[in-house]
């Protein structure tokens, strides 16, 4: 698949789960902007059958390479970011994984059981990012046990493999000059921002400023009952130039740590 085909398919699936993202994109477009993506993100468990490197397969095949790695001690996560080697307009890709062996035996057994239940076809690396939840209809009891240890683990149990967020490249918006302006516009239009660690994560000195809306909530049919659970969210990024004049292209672990919380049920 070409880069365009990959991101078109991902966007279609993402906006079905995240109606707010399409609404926000339309608001920008109606004001005369063309919306470009800064990056798209994915989550996974660190099991060798589905880890970051496996999820990265379609991107590597389309010409991406690994560019940076990040560790999140408290949340027990590890992440890598990828960039296209030649197409500078292709969005960056950010993939994180849960360090399962730092959690309870029960959590580790649950994750192993879910992945053991998948077929070879389910596990096709070229397709995994498009597949969503591949395992059992979720159990609310299992969900709550995972959530007690990790919001990320519980979110992934329900939502599966999918683009967790797209990110608007604020530098390329014609009618906005700063992330502050974007945030005010979103709030005027009734969207709720993730305020964990402040509405804007990162500073001009860190060369990357980021904000995000809280994740949408969608009804999930658990085995026991139907509940509204967070799906995905939309992020906004403004990059500053480095000494050589080029825009900074990496991520900031301290900011990312708070952006992850956009899907936390506790913030809703
Ligand atoms: C990823 C959170 C981090 C960023 O841009 O720093 C991130 C996630 O929520 O899966 O996207
Ligand atoms: Ni992001």
């Amino acid at each position: 698949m070409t880069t365009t085909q990959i991101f078109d398919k991902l966007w279609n699936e993402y906006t079905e789960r995240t109606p707010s993202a399409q609404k926000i994109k339309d608001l920008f477009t109606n004001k005369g902007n063309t919306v470009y993506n800064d990056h798209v993100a994915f989550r996974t468990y660190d099991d060798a059958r589905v880890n970051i490197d496996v999820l990265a397969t379609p991107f590597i095949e389309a010409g991406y390479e690994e560019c940076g790695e990040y560790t999140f001690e408290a949340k027990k996560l590890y992440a890598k970011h990828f960039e296209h080697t030649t197409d500078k307009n292709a969005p960056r890709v950010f993939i994180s994984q849960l360090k399962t062996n730092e959690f309870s035996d029960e959590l580790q057994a649950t994750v192993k059981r879910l992945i053991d239940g998948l077929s070879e076809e389910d596990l096709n690396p070229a397709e995994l990012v498009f597949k969503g939840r591949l395992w059992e209809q979720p159990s609310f009891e299992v969900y709550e046990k995972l959530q007690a240890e990790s919001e990320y683990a519980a979110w992934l149990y329900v939502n599966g493999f999918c683009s967790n967020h797209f990110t608007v490249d604020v530098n390329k918006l014609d009618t906005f000059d700063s992330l502050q302006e974007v945030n005010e516009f979103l709030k005027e239009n009734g969207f709720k921002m993730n305020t964990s660690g402040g509405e804007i994560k990162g500073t001009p000195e860190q060369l990357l400023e980021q904000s995000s809306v809280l994740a949408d909530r969608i009804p999930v049919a658990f085995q026991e009952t139907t509940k509204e659970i967070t799906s995905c969210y939309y992020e906004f990024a403004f990059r500053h130039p480095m000494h050589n004049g080029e825009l900074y292209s990496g991520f900031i672990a301290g900011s990312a740590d708070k952006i992850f919380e956009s899907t936390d049920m506790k913030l809703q």
Side-chain angles (χ1 to χ4, degrees):
M1 280 171 101
T2 66
T3 310
T4 312
Q5 286 168 334
I6 294 175
F7 289 101
D8 284 352
K9 188 169 159 78
L10 289 170
W11 175 263
N12 291 338
E13 289 167 357
Y14 163 72
T15 48
E16 262 174 45
R17 266 174 288 112
T18 324
S20 293
Q22 186 67 57
K23 286 187 196 138
I24 293 170
K25 187 182 177 187
D26 292 344
L27 285 170
F28 285 133
T29 311
N30 293 341
K31 276 182 78 91
N33 297 281
T34 306
V35 176
Y36 294 91
N37 296 311
D38 178 272
H39 68 270
V40 176
F42 302 88
R43 297 177 175 180
T44 191
Y45 299 118
D46 64 357
D47 185 290
R49 294 166 288 181
V50 299
N51 66 15
I52 293 173
D53 296 331
V54 176
L55 256 70
T57 303
F59 301 104
I60 301 292
E61 283 174 357
Y64 278 72
E65 64 181 0
E66 210 180 298
C67 287
E69 55 171 0
Y70 312 89
T71 302
F72 305 91
E73 292 301 336
K75 291 190 172 63
K76 301 172 183 165
L77 300 171
Y78 171 73
K80 288 182 183 175
H81 102 260
F82 301 81
E83 292 178 29
H84 199 279
T85 44
T86 53
D87 180 0
K88 290 300 157 206
N89 287 319
R92 297 162 191 80
V93 171
F94 182 96
I95 313 179
S96 58
Q97 65 186 24
L98 189 76
K99 298 197 266 180
T100 45
N101 58 15
E102 294 184 15
F103 290 90
S104 71
D105 290 347
E106 192 180 0
L107 182 145
Q108 294 184 48
T110 300
V111 170
K112 182 170 183 305
R113 178 176 63 75
L114 297 177
I115 299 165
D116 283 351
L118 305 184
S119 68
E120 212 167 298
E121 194 199 333
D122 287 338
L123 289 166
N124 176 3
E127 294 279 323
L128 213 48
V129 287
F130 305 110
K131 293 251 171 97
R133 187 182 68 238
L134 285 162
W135 39 76
E136 66 191 17
Q137 179 184 16
S139 138
F140 195 63
E141 193 190 335
V142 172
Y143 174 80
E144 284 194 308
K145 277 192 182 154
L146 292 172
Q147 195 182 27
E149 292 194 58
S150 161
E151 283 269 2
Y152 181 109
W155 181 92
L156 187 51
Y157 174 59
V158 164
N159 288 278
F161 306 111
C162 59
S163 50
N164 167 259
H165 62 276
F166 272 65
T167 308
V168 175
D169 180 339
V170 174
N171 297 70
K172 290 193 180 144
L173 294 177
D174 286 325
T175 71
F176 295 88
D177 294 324
S178 69
L179 195 56
Q180 282 83 349
E181 280 180 25
V182 167
N183 289 354
E184 291 313 316
F185 177 67
L186 295 169
K187 287 187 286 183
E188 277 163 25
N189 281 283
F191 293 95
K192 289 209 181 80
M193 309 300 299
N194 167 358
T195 56
S196 176
E199 211 167 86
I200 294 187
K201 285 83 166 142
T203 60
E205 293 69 38
Q206 285 176 301
L207 306 179
L208 174 60
E209 295 178 90
Q210 293 165 279
S211 65
S212 59
V213 291
L214 290 178
D216 281 350
R217 291 169 75 120
I218 51 173
V220 173
F222 288 97
Q223 290 168 26
E224 302 90 335
T225 173
T226 295
K227 294 246 185 215
E228 284 209 344
I229 302 290
T230 46
S231 58
C232 302
Y233 62 96
Y234 211 10
E235 186 191 313
F236 311 90
F238 189 85
R239 294 182 181 274
H240 295 270
M242 301 179 289
H243 288 304
N244 67 7
E246 275 178 39
L247 293 182
Y248 175 69
S249 191
F251 291 81
I252 305 288
S255 301
D257 190 69
K258 302 291 181 263
I259 299 268
F260 277 114
E261 294 174 17
S262 308
T263 58
D264 280 15
M265 289 297 289
K266 71 165 195 282
L267 289 189
Q268 293 273 319

